[in-house]
Amino acid sequence: MPQETAEVAVVGAGPVGLIAAIELARAGLRPVLLDAKDGIAWSSRAICISRRSQEILDRIGAGAAFAAKGLGWSRGRSFYRDREVFRLAMPFAPTDRHAPFINIQQFYTEQFLRDALLAVAPACAPRWGHRVAGARQDADGVSLEVIGPDGGYTLRADWVVAADGGRSALREAFGLALRGTAYESRYLIADIEVPGVDRPVERNVWFDPPSNPGSTVILHVQPDHVWRIDYQLRDDEDGDEALREENVTARLAAQLDMMGVRAPWRLVWRSLYKALALSLDDYRHGRVVFAGDAAHLVPIFGVRGLNSGIDDAHNLGWKLALVARGAAPAALLDSYSLERRRVTAENHAQATRSTWFMSPPGAGFRLMRDAALELAGAHAFASALLNPRQSAAHVYDASPAVTPDAVPCAEGVVPGASLPNLPAVILGADGRQTSGFLQDALPPLGFTLLAFVEALGGPQVLAPLAAATAGAGVPLRLLPVVRDAAAAGTAGAVVDADGTLAARFAAAQFPLTLLRPDEHVAARFTGADPVPVLAALDRALAPPLGPAAAPGTAAPAAVPATPPERGFAAISRALEPAGPAGAAGLLARLALLLAEELGDADRVLRCVAAAEGSG
Ligand SMILES: Cc1cc2nc3c(=O)[nH]c(=O)nc-3n(C[C@H](O)[C@H](O)[C@H](O)COP(=O)(O)OP(=O)(O)OC[C@H]3O[C@@H](n4cnc5c(N)ncnc54)[C@H](O)[C@@H]3O)c2cc1C
């Protein structure tokens, strides 16, 4: 078989593989990007892109296309039968660059990413129709057996990014398995085109709606007057039967009728979906690094699938570029696995709580979910249980690649957090000031040392700092932030005339912040001494991994359950073995025990009245 070589091969030109290829190409590598399909997938999958993902898309040069096409949103409404029971309102200030989410079809996402890749490196265009059929590796590289349109060949790569999706052929080639939970409940995913009708862009959920009794229905508006309507199937429903066009159309017609939509519409997509919370034990397998759905699957509730894949590729891109170039040890890739596995654990914990409501995993959970829905609206704690816990930026606070504060402090932008993309004024070479956002002031590649000049004692500290960090061995730019533009000295500095940035970064305490190339804080410092800066840089490039890096289901999730969530889960689980027959008795005993614990007759009577009233 003919043989080709590559520094890095990326298998899979879905969104995650495309971003990995863009990141590598931006860093000067020439990745070979292979995909079994003939071109962009015109299927309908991810639609909600988070604010953090939008920031990453900006960084890789794709943001403008998404901003032009996507529909921004920050709100949602949930209904139980015919009653509104929860309002979602995610923070969205007029000064924010991005809405908490934009909705956009995944085929646009892939198209815009392909365009961004071609703009950076036309030579790295995806090789469509090139399927990886087998793989093996040794100490020096990976040999991929590729079947292309003109026959088979071997691609010998130093490193491989496995972004080949949920059914990853590379996972199979290396005998690796995903582990976790597969939920039984199924959803039918439908897209309809409703020309000429403008709906508010928000997340709508109906539990047990009159149009579809016993089911849960989710609606999101997408560009081009396309609405995504997902509805839950009954457990006894036959999937093939449910997918038949006439059956889908009848269910959707009932839903649209209930919503008062009288305009003509047309079904443009339908498929079945089952929630999975699965992960590899380790995202690095020698010279093969797994990302996106190939590494982990996350239930769609809370929209963490694609968003976490985007984050994977952004975390991996700079690390793999440095390792492939010999500028960092291969252990840096273990920090990728470690950081992202912890995020998967967090995502699974959050998505599991959303799944209790969207797709209850058993009779006990269903009983409790319905009880919470009965109480929601009138009782804030019950409404809060309906919060979809949408995907949010992660903090790599437990990462060995991140240097913790010498004295832990919650003020400012903590180690491991991503850069808050606040409005910023940037000083041009001609002395002119341009309004933009902090992210715009970062160098396109490499580390950034954000220096709050006044808090450091004045501009005289900058030159020695720059000199000391110049020989760091990796690109590192010193970025001054000044209150007084006259003190900036250099083009590209950030002017913080009203001190907003200094306050947000707690600059009085931490005048220096080291940012990684993926905009996460590697460390922050209390003074201008370059020695700890260089030590933190070393740690970011060659992290002391320790036992935490060992393969295995990841470290505990960083988002602890709230007390109502813990109570909800505990009672639901207790009800599972009790079954429908024993549930009433168990709940009666539980009510008596809780009343005894509460010890206040008036409060108990008020609870009894509220429980009666909610029915
Ligand atoms: C109905 C639905 C709704 C969703 N909604 C959301 C949402 O709103 N937000 C969100 O964040 N996520 C959502 N997701 C999840 C999201 O779609 C996935 O997480 C995302 O597509 C993963 O991207 P990926 O690049 O890892 O994998 P994929 O998109 O699956 O891409 C993998 C690529 O690898 C290629 N490939 C496979 N095998 C080979 C091989 N042997 N050789 C070469 N190439 C190969 C494939 O052709 C494909 O192009 C949703 C998913 C579904 C199903």
Side-chain angles (χ1 to χ4, degrees):
M1 280 228 262
Q3 177 152 330
E4 270 188 56
T5 56
E7 284 168 303
V8 183
V10 179
V11 183
V16 175
L18 282 163
I19 296 176
I22 296 171
E23 297 270 3
L24 294 165
R26 287 178 73 242
L29 279 90
R30 288 292 166 262
V32 173
L33 177 56
L34 306 168
D35 198 291
K37 297 192 311 292
D38 293 338
I40 301 279
W42 297 104
S43 56
S44 186
R45 293 205 280 163
I47 53 174
C48 305
I49 307 275
S50 70
R51 179 181 277 144
R52 176 68 191 130
S53 293
Q54 293 170 69
E55 289 170 3
I56 293 172
L57 295 169
D58 285 344
R59 286 289 283 165
I60 62 170
F66 283 84
K69 188 74 194 175
L71 304 178
W73 63 276
S74 63
R75 298 181 171 274
R77 288 183 297 150
S78 300
F79 303 86
Y80 178 47
R81 297 183 180 149
D82 53 0
R83 219 163 31 95
E84 185 173 320
V85 288
F86 175 68
R87 276 196 179 207
L88 173 71
M90 291 176 285
F92 186 21
T95 49
D96 286 334
R97 169 172 270 182
H98 295 296
F101 285 91
I102 55 166
N103 284 354
I104 189 164
Q105 290 89 332
Q106 186 160 327
F107 57 77
Y108 281 127
T109 295
E110 295 183 19
Q111 195 179 311
F112 297 160
L113 290 170
R114 180 204 52 195
D115 294 348
L117 174 62
L118 296 182
V120 183
C124 299
R127 291 189 190 178
W128 301 115
H130 289 242
R131 182 172 64 84
V132 172
R136 65 201 148 71
Q137 65 173 316
D138 51 44
D140 302 322
V142 187
S143 296
L144 300 174
E145 284 166 37
V146 187
I147 316 281
D150 302 322
Y153 62 97
T154 301
L155 180 64
R156 175 79 179 165
D158 297 345
W159 296 95
V160 170
V161 177
D164 52 346
R167 299 201 171 96
S168 170
L170 283 167
R171 240 177 23 223
E172 200 178 312
F174 292 108
L176 305 170
L178 297 172
R179 290 201 289 143
T181 309
Y183 294 93
E184 286 307 314
S185 189
R186 294 154 305 158
Y187 269 78
L188 197 133
I189 311 285
D191 282 346
I192 60 169
E193 192 186 353
V194 197
V197 178
D198 288 317
R199 262 191 81 76
V201 187
E202 59 178 23
R203 176 185 187 269
N204 288 152
V205 180
W206 291 266
F207 295 98
D208 196 18
S211 64
N212 221 324
S215 179
T216 301
V217 180
I218 313 168
L219 185 144
H220 274 288
V221 176
Q222 307 171 60
D224 306 334
H225 291 106
V226 173
W227 301 357
R228 159 72 56 80
I229 303 183
D230 304 339
Y231 55 84
Q232 193 187 13
L233 298 185
R234 287 190 320 273
D235 291 348
D236 61 353
E237 256 180 286
D238 177 72
D240 292 338
E241 193 57 24
L243 255 181
R244 282 167 55 146
E245 184 167 355
E246 59 271 31
N247 293 335
V248 178
T249 305
R251 291 275 264 273
L252 294 177
Q255 175 67 22
L256 293 167
D257 190 49
M258 187 195 85
M259 291 161 56
V261 176
R262 305 279 172 258
W265 55 274
R266 143 181 116 84
L267 183 63
V268 292
W269 174 263
R270 61 192 195 277
S271 61
L272 280 185
Y273 172 79
K274 221 170 155 177
L276 301 169
L278 305 172
S279 174
L280 282 175
D281 284 347
D282 197 348
Y283 298 165
R284 178 179 170 213
H285 183 69
R287 290 175 168 270
V288 182
V289 194
F290 289 83
D293 279 14
H296 46 72
L297 291 166
V298 189
I300 50 173
F301 317 116
V303 299
R304 293 181 170 78
L306 173 57
N307 288 305
S308 65
I310 291 174
D311 241 333
D312 283 351
H314 196 50
N315 185 307
L316 177 59
W318 67 272
K319 293 178 178 173
L320 184 53
L322 288 174
V323 171
R325 282 278 149 87
L332 184 56
L333 300 176
D334 293 319
S335 80
Y336 157 78
S337 176
L338 195 58
E339 289 176 351
R340 298 308 301 164
R341 277 191 283 139
R342 188 157 191 267
V343 170
T344 300
E346 185 179 318
N347 282 338
H348 282 172
Q350 291 284 44
T352 296
R353 287 170 209 152
S354 304
T355 307
W356 295 338
F357 274 77
M358 305 309 293
S359 187
F365 277 92
R366 180 174 290 276
L367 190 63
M368 286 297 286
R369 192 273 306 259
D370 291 347
L373 285 169
E374 296 277 2
L375 293 171
H379 299 269
F381 82 92
S383 301
L385 286 167
L386 300 184
N387 190 323
R389 301 164 189 83
Q390 297 288 97
S391 165
H394 299 281
V395 181
Y396 298 133
D397 51 356
S399 170
V402 167
T403 304
D405 292 333
V407 178
C409 172
E411 301 294 308
V413 183
V414 298
S418 61
L419 177 80
N421 197 19
L422 299 168
V425 173
I426 300 160
L427 197 66
D430 54 3
R432 268 204 298 190
Q433 300 184 15
T434 312
S435 292
F437 289 85
L438 203 43
Q439 196 170 279
D440 304 333
L442 301 182
L445 293 169
F447 287 78
T448 305
L449 192 55
L450 205 60
F452 286 86
V453 173
E454 284 84 358
L456 281 166
Q460 69 282 358
V461 299
L462 295 180
L465 250 183
T469 50
V474 288
L476 186 154
R477 175 163 157 215
L478 185 61
L479 177 58
V481 183
V482 291
R483 280 196 93 127
D484 174 7
T490 46
V494 173
V495 183
D496 181 32
D498 64 1
T500 307
L501 297 178
R504 178 69 183 85
F505 279 79
Q509 234 176 316
F510 300 104
L512 267 189
T513 294
L514 180 65
L515 290 171
R516 312 195 310 191
D518 59 5
E519 308 94 51
H520 281 264
V521 173
R524 54 185 184 170
F525 313 94
T526 52
D529 182 358
V531 174
V533 177
L534 292 170
L537 194 61
D538 272 352
R539 184 170 172 151
L541 294 169
L545 289 164
T553 30
V559 187
T562 62
E565 285 170 345
R566 288 171 58 200
F568 178 92
I571 303 171
S572 300
R573 287 196 189 103
L575 284 166
E576 291 295 318
L586 188 140
L587 290 175
R589 291 193 295 279
L590 181 65
L592 286 174
L593 288 166
L594 290 176
E596 166 71 7
E597 283 286 319
L598 206 56
D600 178 334
D602 287 339
R603 287 172 72 188
V604 172
L605 293 177
R606 274 205 304 279
C607 290
V608 172
E612 281 178 336
S614 68

